[in-house]
C-alpha cells in the first residue's frame, strides 16, 4: 500500500468532486481493482468517501470535507515551483496571484521543504521566445483567459494566411497553448475545433453567449493530434539533394529537426570524399530553395528540376547583383 497514493486519491476527489473508479485508476496509473482497494482503505481510515450509483455515478467525499496539504515530498515541493515560472504567468496577467500563491505555499510547507523549494525557484528561469525573435505582442491574451475560465464565447476579427485574409468568427475557447514562445487559442466554431495564433487576432470582444466545453475534450491530446496533422499537411513534396560533410554538420542549424532526421535516414555515400545523397521532405519550391541556399556550396539539388532551376535562378540574380555577370 502506498500512503502517497492514498493521499493522491483524496486530493483527486477533493479537487474533482465525483470521480468513477476507472477515472481514479487512469489518473494514478493503477488497475481498477487497486483503485477499489485504495477507496476501501480510505473508508477504513474514516475518510468520508461514498459511492454514487448510476451511469454518471462515482466516488466522492462528503460535502465540506477537506484535507490539509500533508505528506509532500521534496521532489513534489520542487515541482510545484516549476508550474509557476514567471514568464507565462505575466503573459496571462496572473503574475501577482502567482507570487501570492508561492508565498502561501512556502508558509504552509515544513521549513526544510520550503527552503528547498525556494532554492529551486531561484535557479531556474524560463525565456520562452526562440533566439533571434522578439516576444509576440498579445493584447487579447488576458481576454481569452477570462473567456476560457468563464466559458464565454468571443467575437474576433482574425488575420490568416489564405484569402480572404481577414475573417470574423465567433469562437468558443476551449484552452490556451504556449508553443516556443507563441500563444495559441484552441476554440470551437459552429462547425469544428480550430487553432488560432493569438497574435493574429486583430479585435476581440466577449459576447454574452455561454457554452459548455465537452467533458471528454482533452487539450493535451488535441494539441498532440494537431501537431501530427500539421506536419502531415506541411510537407507536400520531396527533393533529392547531395551534401558535403560540412553541409551535414551544418544541417541542424538551418532546417527543422524532422527534415534532418529524414536526411539522416536516407543518406547514402556517393563517392570517397564524404558527400552523400539523401531525400528530404519539402513544403514548397520557394521554401526549400530558401532553406538550402543557407548551405551555400555544401549542397546540390539533384531533383526535382523545378527546385534546381529555382536555385540556379536565385544564384544568377545574386551573381548579377555583385557584378559577376
Amino acid at each position: 500500500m502506498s500512503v502517497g497514493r492514498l493521499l493522491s486519491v483524496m486530493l483527486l476527489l477533493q479537487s474533482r468532486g465525483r470521480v468513477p473508479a476507472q477515472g481514479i485508476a487512469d489518473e494514478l496509473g493503477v488497475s481498477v481493482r487497486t483503485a477499489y482497494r485504495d477507496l476501501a482503505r480510505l473508508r477504513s481510515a474514516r475518510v468520508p468517501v461514498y459511492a454514487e450509483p448510476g451511469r454518471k455515478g462515482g466516488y466522492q467525499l462528503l460535502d465540506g470535507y477537506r484535507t490539509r496539504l500533508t505528506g509532500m515530498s521534496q521532489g513534489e515541493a520542487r515541482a510545484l515551483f516549476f508550474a509557476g515560472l514567471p514568464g507565462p504567468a505575466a503573459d496571462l496577467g496572473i503574475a501577482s496571484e502567482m507570487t501570492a500563491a508561492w508565498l502561501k505555499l512556502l508558509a504552509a510547507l515544513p521549513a526544510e521543504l520550503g527552503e528547498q523549494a525556494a532554492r529551486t525557484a531561484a535557479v531556474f528561469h524560463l525565456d520562452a521566445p526562440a533566439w533571434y525573435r522578439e516576444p509576440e505582442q498579445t493584447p487579447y491574451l488576458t481576454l481569452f483567459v477570462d473567456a476560457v475560465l468563464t466559458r464565454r464565447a468571443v467575437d474576433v476579427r482574425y488575420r490568416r494566411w489564405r484569402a480572404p485574409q481577414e475573417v470574423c468568427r465567433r469562437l468558443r475557447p476551449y484552452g490556451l497553448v504556449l508553443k516556443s514562445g507563441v500563444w495559441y487559442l484552441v476554440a470551437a466554431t459552429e462547425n469544428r475545433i480550430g487553432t488560432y495564433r493569438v497574435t493574429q487576432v486583430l479585435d476581440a470582444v466577449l459576447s454574452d453567449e455561454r457554452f459548455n466545453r465537452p467533458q471528454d475534450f482533452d487539450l493535451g491530446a488535441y494539441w498532440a493530434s494537431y501537431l501530427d496533422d500539421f506536419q502531415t499537411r506541411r510537407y507536400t513534396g520531396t527533393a533529392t539533394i547531395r551534401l558535403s560533410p560540412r553541409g551535414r554538420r551544418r544541417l541542424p542549424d538551418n532546417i527543422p529537426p524532422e527534415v534532418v532526421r529524414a536526411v539522416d535516414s536516407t543518406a547514402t555515400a556517393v563517392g570517397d570524399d564524404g558527400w552523400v545523397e539523401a531525400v528530404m521532405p519539402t513544403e514548397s519550391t520557394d521554401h526549400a530553395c530558401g532553406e538550402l541556399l543557407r548551405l551555400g556550396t555544401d549542397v546540390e539539388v539533384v531533383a526535382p528540376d523545378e527546385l534546381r532551376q529555382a536555385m540556379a535562378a536565385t544564384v544568377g540574380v545574386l551573381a548579377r547583383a555583385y557584378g559577376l555577370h
Side-chain angles (χ1 to χ4, degrees):
M1 177 183 69
S2 168
V3 174
R5 194 175 67 239
L6 292 180
L7 177 60
S8 296
V9 174
M10 290 174 60
L11 294 174
L12 178 64
L13 296 176
Q14 184 172 295
S15 61
R16 300 275 184 86
R18 187 181 303 158
V19 184
Q22 183 65 62
I24 296 173
D26 292 343
E27 188 75 23
L28 302 182
V30 298
S31 67
V32 176
R33 180 176 295 180
T34 298
Y36 282 129
R37 282 201 300 264
D38 288 345
L39 290 162
R41 290 184 179 113
L42 287 176
R43 287 201 198 94
S44 298
R46 298 186 178 180
V47 175
V49 179
Y50 70 93
E52 185 73 27
R55 187 170 60 86
K56 295 185 178 181
Y59 291 85
Q60 64 188 83
L61 296 172
L62 188 68
D63 288 347
Y65 181 84
R66 307 289 291 178
T67 182
R68 297 188 63 186
L69 186 63
T70 58
M72 182 176 288
S73 69
Q74 176 177 310
E76 290 166 342
R78 285 178 173 176
L80 282 174
F81 281 82
F82 284 103
L85 291 169
D91 289 346
L92 295 171
I94 57 172
S96 60
E97 289 85 350
M98 185 65 70
T99 300
W102 279 3
L103 293 174
K104 290 177 181 178
L105 177 60
L106 280 174
L109 288 172
E112 182 181 351
L113 290 184
E115 291 172 4
Q116 289 280 346
R119 282 200 293 271
T120 299
V123 297
F124 288 93
H125 176 72
L126 175 65
D127 185 8
W131 287 103
Y132 315 117
R133 191 174 69 193
E134 292 291 333
E136 293 195 335
Q137 300 302 309
T138 54
Y140 296 106
L141 182 59
T142 54
L143 181 145
F144 289 132
V145 172
D146 187 21
V148 168
L149 296 178
T150 60
R151 298 185 178 181
R152 289 177 62 184
V154 182
D155 293 317
V156 304
R157 184 164 61 92
Y158 186 76
R159 180 174 55 227
R160 59 184 187 176
W161 63 270
R162 66 179 183 273
Q165 286 196 310
E166 289 191 14
V167 295
C168 293
R169 295 279 189 272
R170 170 158 287 194
L171 304 179
R172 296 160 185 86
Y174 284 1
L176 287 157
V177 176
L178 179 63
K179 169 72 170 175
S180 301
V182 180
W183 284 100
Y184 293 90
L185 176 72
V186 177
T189 63
E190 294 295 339
N191 304 315
R192 66 185 186 91
I193 299 174
T195 304
Y196 303 85
R197 189 166 175 163
V198 174
T199 192
Q200 296 296 96
V201 175
L202 304 175
D203 290 302
V205 179
L206 280 172
S207 75
D208 294 329
E209 179 191 342
R210 303 278 180 168
F211 68 92
N212 290 318
R213 194 177 87 158
Q215 290 186 350
D216 60 350
F217 178 77
D218 185 319
L219 183 60
Y222 168 85
W223 186 254
S225 175
Y226 171 79
L227 291 181
D228 288 342
D229 181 62
F230 175 76
Q231 296 290 20
T232 300
R233 292 183 288 106
R234 179 179 180 183
Y235 297 109
T236 58
T238 60
T240 303
I241 60 173
R242 289 180 178 171
L243 287 164
S244 71
R246 189 177 74 156
R248 288 196 73 180
R249 291 195 299 272
R250 295 175 57 201
L251 210 59
D253 296 327
N254 290 280
I255 63 176
E258 59 270 15
V259 179
V260 175
R261 289 193 293 269
V263 169
D264 288 341
S265 66
T266 59
T268 56
V270 290
D272 298 329
D273 53 1
W275 280 68
V276 297
E277 187 169 291
V279 177
M280 62 173 281
T282 59
E283 292 187 40
S284 66
T285 297
D286 289 344
H287 189 271
C289 182
E291 285 189 326
L292 294 174
L293 283 171
R294 300 172 191 166
L295 299 174
T297 57
D298 291 312
V299 65
E300 176 192 352
V301 174
V302 178
D305 287 339
E306 181 183 8
L307 182 54
R308 279 183 63 90
Q309 293 168 11
M311 294 282 286
T314 304
V315 172
V317 171
L318 287 171
R320 288 192 294 274
Y322 285 96
L324 299 179
H325 282 290

